[in-house]
Amino acid sequence: MVEIELDGKKVEVKEGSMVMHAAEKAGTYIPHFCYHKKLSIAANCRMCLVDVEKAPKPMPACATPVTQGMIVRTKSEKAIKAQQGVMEFLLINHPLDCPICDQGGECQLQDLAVGYGGSKSRYSEEKRVVFHKNVGPLISMEEMSRCIHCTRCVRFGQEIAGQMELGMAHRGEFSEIQTFVGRSIDSELSGNMIDVCPVGALTSKPFRYSARTWELSRRKSVSPHDSTGANLVVQVKGNQVMRVVPLENEAVNECWIADRDRFSYEALNSDARVQQPMIKQGGAWKAVDWTTALEYVATGLKSIKNDHGAAAIGALGSAHSTVEELHLLAKLVRGLGSQNVDHRLRHADFGNVAEAGKALWLGTSIASLSELDRAFVIGSQLRKDHPLFAQRLRQAARRGAKIVALGASQEDWLMPVAARVAAAPSAWVQSLADVAAAVAASTGAAAPAAGTANDEAKAIAAALLSGQKKAVLLGNAAAQHPQAASLLALANWIGAQTGASVGYLSEAANTVGAQLVGALPQAGGLNAGQMLGGESLKAVLLLNTDPVLDSAHAAAAAKALAAAEMVVVMSPFKTGLEYADVLLPTAPFTETSGTFVNAEGRAQSFVGVVKALGETRPGWKILRVLGNLLGLEGFAQESSEQVRGEALGTDFADLSARLSNASGAAVQIVAPAAGLERLGSVPIYAADNLVRHASSLQLSNDGRQAAVAGLPQALWDQLGLPEQGARVRITQEGAGAAELNAKLEAGLPANVVRVPAGVVETSALGALFGALNVSKA
């Protein structure tokens, strides 16, 4: 440690720290623009000049290393005069457009100009003008004349997002921040550039000119999308969500959020919202009051139970729903005498479950992902499925961690990947067994299954057998895989032999919570695959899900729902209109209180931040009243806190004892498929109802590319497809056909075709990992 004197106080900091770090530790504020605690030091703005004893001139606090006995004054006349001089230079070309600037009221330049700026400018020449750039539907670069060249946005792209989408061109007064050759900004973390910009140069395009910052109320919430459980500040005006920004939580999302966390709020105000209960009569939808709708549902369920038995009733809930909603959904169905309840709509292996009363989870803390020395990621579109986990692994890789992977493609994770096996999904178990064989060859243990220690397997094994902090991470595709249990069993064996933690990155905001509250079939109940794979159900309750888009077999789901006598859809949006009989407007996360349990088992509760739209009601209240109408016991809760206590117990702050990835499954290796097989990946902006209805996200590059089929080079050549404008026709046995635009995806194995799920264009197709046929359209 090094001791320095800062404004007369002794401060101890680590050797190699900068004066700025010492000031932060001492609680002393030094004005700055380009410095950001999560980014590298650039020392561009010079606003943080301080007076260092024996130095010939003021020194930048962000780039001056501490030395033993150093004496620093941040508020001496010399320091203040230097800071005022820098501020005068910064304001020379800055436009005086504060009254119309979206950053007004939360602008660092505005704040510091009050303290360090002059009352008038000595500069009388014409200010420079920088022309605006169109970089996509999310970020506005309309007023780049405001830019002070701090390069925070450039460094964020390089260091956090992993791709340098912005850079500084030209020199001197001609310097400009711009994209390369007019490209758009397409990172799944791009919105954070808006937050790090200290002036109004980069602003939110969807939010632009819609409100002033001082008109907004700020309310805490939790992201309902992926399993990070990112903490949010939802900003509200006039009972409408206007903007979403990150709430800093180092243990969860640091100070970042993904673009879907930031911009999906547009769906909350969209025309697709259903605002009052509706019943289908004679093929036409009719708006009714809540009493009529709920009595209709209750009467229908009683009638179907009497005619067909309780086993003809089933419920499917999305893992994007809250703990409270899923608990009452399961309780309602069980109260009727049925065990048919599930949240695993996209899964194919339903034997892959945790021990009774426990849940499969990440296996380590989220924060520890940044500190790993080795990570083995299996079956994940890492960047698109888990943008913030990918960011943490990227930081680990920047510190020298080795990332190794097993999947069906060679997609760019924007980080160095030390070794990668790209195999067809049907060969994943064998490929993982090969890695286990390579580990066994090094440790002398008996391999759990027959495998070949090939070069790729040896490279992964060598990585895992070195280093200190290690993790084996199973992604969404590994959880949804037809042999998910075998993959977990092999992962557990590899983890035990190499000293690595083993866990699931987890698909949705409340995947862990859904398991803990028992939203799973018990005592012979039907799982999601059985409910949606046959015609046995006569009544189906759907909570926040459209099974045709959210299930593992879209065509079978559509057929099963069409055959049911009554389908009740509880959703904020007009979904499932072709098969639904009742539509109950259910509050999204901003209009209800509830709890999500993230991948690491952290329960995070939140409250509604706006009043419910129209006649919308919280899902837990709808289910509670329905339970009362059905005459079921245990539906007298008066608050979501009561429901949470019943679902998770009073000790929900620490759920660690209820988390387990232990697997007793035997490894079963099946022969790889002979023909073409589907990689049914879910695009980032098709993963749930909210993002599907967010207009700006759908206009982004990821949104526009969602319904595009990826073909390997061999198949592309075989079909003789043109370089531009290629279209293909895809068919699957037992399902319909889809015609999609095609793109060449050179990293795919020769027999794998990436066909997205969760989009309308592929809703006639079959299994996510099934066989398929491809022909030129």
Side-chain angles (χ1 to χ4, degrees):
M1 300 292 281
V2 174
E3 186 179 81
I4 70 166
E5 185 181 302
L6 186 82
D7 292 339
K9 291 191 290 187
K10 301 289 186 186
V11 185
E12 265 197 0
V13 289
K14 288 180 184 175
E15 192 173 347
S17 299
M18 302 296 160
V19 171
M20 184 70 85
H21 300 140
E24 283 180 343
K25 187 172 182 182
T28 301
Y29 179 73
I30 299 175
H32 60 273
F33 294 112
C34 70
Y35 172 77
H36 190 286
K37 64 182 179 180
K38 294 288 182 183
L39 303 176
S40 62
I41 289 165
N44 288 336
C45 72
R46 320 306 280 186
M47 190 66 212
C48 63
L49 291 174
V50 292
D51 180 7
V52 179
E53 195 168 275
K54 296 182 182 176
K57 58 184 180 181
M59 305 292 284
C62 69
T64 302
V66 294
T67 57
Q68 185 64 38
M70 177 187 270
I71 297 172
V72 180
R73 300 178 187 89
T74 66
K75 294 176 177 61
S76 67
E77 186 182 351
K78 184 178 179 181
I80 298 293
K81 195 171 181 182
Q83 291 161 357
Q84 288 173 337
V86 170
M87 178 57 74
E88 184 176 20
F89 278 122
L90 285 173
L91 294 175
I92 279 175
N93 273 313
H94 197 81
L96 296 172
D97 61 353
C98 294
I100 61 115
C101 178
D102 259 359
Q103 195 89 341
E106 53 187 11
C107 171
Q108 275 181 264
L109 185 65
Q110 202 174 50
D111 293 342
L112 294 178
V114 173
Y116 299 92
S119 56
K120 61 180 182 179
S121 174
R122 294 184 284 173
Y123 188 79
S124 57
E125 288 79 7
E126 192 175 308
K127 290 180 182 282
R128 83 176 197 142
V129 174
V130 180
F131 290 108
H132 69 268
K133 286 96 178 163
N134 182 13
V135 293
L138 305 179
I139 296 177
S140 172
M141 292 180 77
E142 292 291 316
E143 281 90 15
M144 288 307 291
S145 298
R146 299 172 185 158
C147 179
I148 60 170
H149 306 133
C150 68
T151 69
R152 275 186 180 183
C153 56
V154 178
R155 285 175 285 143
F156 171 83
Q158 281 180 294
E159 298 163 18
I160 307 299
Q163 55 190 140
M164 189 175 174
E165 294 183 292
L166 289 174
M168 190 183 292
H170 315 304
R171 299 182 70 181
E173 67 170 331
F174 301 106
S175 298
E176 283 186 41
I177 299 290
Q178 59 187 42
T179 58
F180 297 101
V181 291
R183 291 182 190 168
S184 56
I185 295 175
D186 299 319
S187 165
E188 58 281 355
L189 298 171
S190 67
N192 294 293
M193 292 179 180
I194 298 164
D195 294 335
V196 299
C197 182
V199 294
L202 302 180
T203 53
S204 167
K205 194 171 274 190
F207 173 71
R208 187 173 160 80
Y209 293 152
S210 59
R212 306 314 309 255
T213 181
W214 52 85
E215 299 173 320
L216 302 172
S217 302
R218 290 159 175 77
R219 293 156 191 178
K220 296 177 183 178
S221 193
V222 178
S223 167
H225 301 298
D226 62 41
S227 58
T228 310
N231 290 198
L232 310 176
V233 174
V234 181
Q235 300 186 346
V236 175
K237 177 187 175 186
N239 203 45
Q240 188 172 340
V241 176
M242 304 300 290
R243 184 166 63 166
V244 175
V245 296
L247 174 65
E248 188 169 344
N249 185 337
E250 277 298 312
V252 180
N253 55 301
E254 300 173 89
C255 56
W256 316 119
I257 53 174
D259 285 355
R260 63 179 168 196
D261 302 326
R262 185 184 301 272
F263 296 110
S264 64
Y265 75 87
E266 283 187 296
L268 303 170
N269 310 319
S270 74
D271 294 336
R273 286 291 300 271
V274 56
Q275 297 192 38
Q276 60 188 122
M278 300 176 82
I279 295 175
K280 190 188 284 182
Q281 292 182 337
W285 285 98
K286 179 187 175 185
V288 296
D289 59 50
W290 271 105
T291 303
T292 304
L294 291 173
E295 286 179 348
Y296 179 90
V297 173
T299 303
L301 290 173
K302 288 176 184 175
S303 174
I304 287 167
K305 181 181 177 181
N306 290 333
D307 295 346
H308 304 283
I313 299 170
L316 294 162
S318 165
H320 299 280
S321 306
T322 64
V323 156
E324 292 79 357
E325 291 166 341
L326 289 166
H327 169 69
L328 288 181
L329 180 71
K331 188 173 183 177
L332 180 90
V333 173
R334 293 195 174 110
L336 287 167
S338 171
Q339 289 291 345
N340 307 332
V341 59
D342 211 343
H343 70 277
R344 303 164 296 170
L345 278 81
R346 288 199 177 104
H347 288 218
D349 183 356
F350 295 95
N352 186 40
V353 290
E355 303 164 49
K358 297 193 176 183
L360 302 172
W361 67 301
L362 185 61
T364 183
S365 68
I366 289 173
S368 71
L369 296 179
S370 305
E371 308 297 329
L372 291 174
D373 299 320
R374 304 288 184 265
F376 182 19
V377 182
I378 302 165
S380 177
Q381 300 182 97
L382 189 59
R383 276 177 57 202
K384 305 304 180 184
D385 291 343
H386 301 97
L388 293 171
F389 290 171
Q391 183 276 132
R392 283 194 180 269
L393 289 176
R394 192 172 295 120
Q395 301 316 308
R398 283 172 60 82
R399 282 192 277 269
K402 282 188 178 178
I403 312 296
V404 292
L406 165 62
S409 71
Q410 301 264 10
E411 59 199 3
D412 187 3
W413 289 350
L414 303 176
M415 67 182 88
V417 178
R420 191 196 296 260
V421 176
S426 62
W428 284 1
V429 175
Q430 182 61 69
S431 297
L432 199 53
D434 293 344
V435 175
V439 171
S442 296
T443 62
T452 305
N454 54 41
D455 290 344
E456 292 169 321
K458 284 177 182 174
I460 292 175
L464 289 172
L465 287 164
S466 58
Q468 297 298 313
K469 298 176 182 175
K470 306 170 235 188
V472 178
L473 303 167
L474 295 130
N476 291 358
Q480 296 158 3
H481 195 274
Q483 291 178 275
S486 291
L487 290 173
L488 176 59
L490 283 165
N492 276 332
W493 187 89
I494 291 168
Q497 292 295 317
T498 60
S501 66
V502 177
Y504 282 96
L505 293 168
S506 298
E507 186 176 352
N510 202 26
T511 299
V512 175
Q515 297 172 76
L516 291 175
V517 300
L520 297 160
Q522 295 172 6
L526 300 179
N527 59 50
Q530 292 166 329
M531 283 189 262
L532 295 172
E535 298 175 16
S536 58
L537 289 189
K538 300 302 177 186
V540 189
L541 300 173
L542 300 176
L543 175 62
N544 289 324
T545 184
D546 178 353
V548 177
L549 296 179
D550 293 336
S551 70
H553 197 302
K559 188 178 176 184
L561 292 169
E565 290 180 19
M566 184 172 75
V567 178
V568 181
V569 172
M570 291 174 275
S571 171
F573 303 101
K574 296 169 186 171
T575 57
L577 299 183
E578 63 279 5
Y579 55 74
D581 298 288
V582 186
L583 206 52
L584 303 178
T586 307
F589 79 108
T590 51
E591 296 168 25
T592 183
S593 53
T595 305
F596 292 135
V597 183
N598 70 2
E600 68 178 357
R602 181 187 298 259
Q604 299 184 107
S605 294
F606 54 91
V607 295
V609 298
V610 289
K611 290 178 184 173
L613 186 67
E615 293 294 308
T616 298
R617 294 290 181 268
W620 71 268
K621 286 189 176 181
I622 297 171
L623 291 160
R624 186 203 64 196
V625 175
L626 199 50
N628 290 331
L629 289 173
L630 288 163
L632 304 178
E633 290 184 10
F635 284 85
Q637 303 89 347
E638 294 184 1
S639 69
S640 63
E641 287 79 12
Q642 274 185 276
V643 185
R644 181 189 65 200
E646 189 180 290
L648 294 177
T650 53
D651 60 341
F652 69 90
D654 182 13
L655 298 171
S656 56
R658 288 186 257 174
L659 306 172
S660 171
N661 294 317
S663 169
V667 177
Q668 293 183 321
I669 297 178
V670 298
L676 293 177
E677 56 184 287
R678 177 180 179 184
L679 173 63
S681 53
V682 181
I684 185 171
Y685 301 139
D688 61 68
N689 259 334
L690 269 177
V691 291
R692 286 198 283 258
H693 290 97
S695 54
S696 293
L697 292 178
Q698 295 305 321
L699 290 171
S700 69
N701 188 56
D702 275 319
R704 288 183 287 106
Q705 294 288 318
V708 175
L711 273 62
Q713 183 73 61
L715 183 59
W716 191 278
D717 295 341
Q718 182 187 326
L719 296 175
L721 296 174
E723 286 186 21
Q724 301 293 332
R727 278 184 72 77
V728 292
R729 176 180 168 82
I730 296 164
T731 56
Q732 281 187 274
E733 192 177 340
E739 280 197 11
L740 301 175
N741 289 330
K743 67 176 180 182
L744 178 63
E745 198 169 330
L748 288 173
N751 64 328
V752 175
V753 180
R754 187 193 296 275
V755 181
V759 293
V760 173
E761 291 86 346
T762 62
S763 58
L765 295 177
L768 293 185
F769 295 100
L772 48 69
N773 293 302
V774 182
S775 57
K776 196 173 178 179

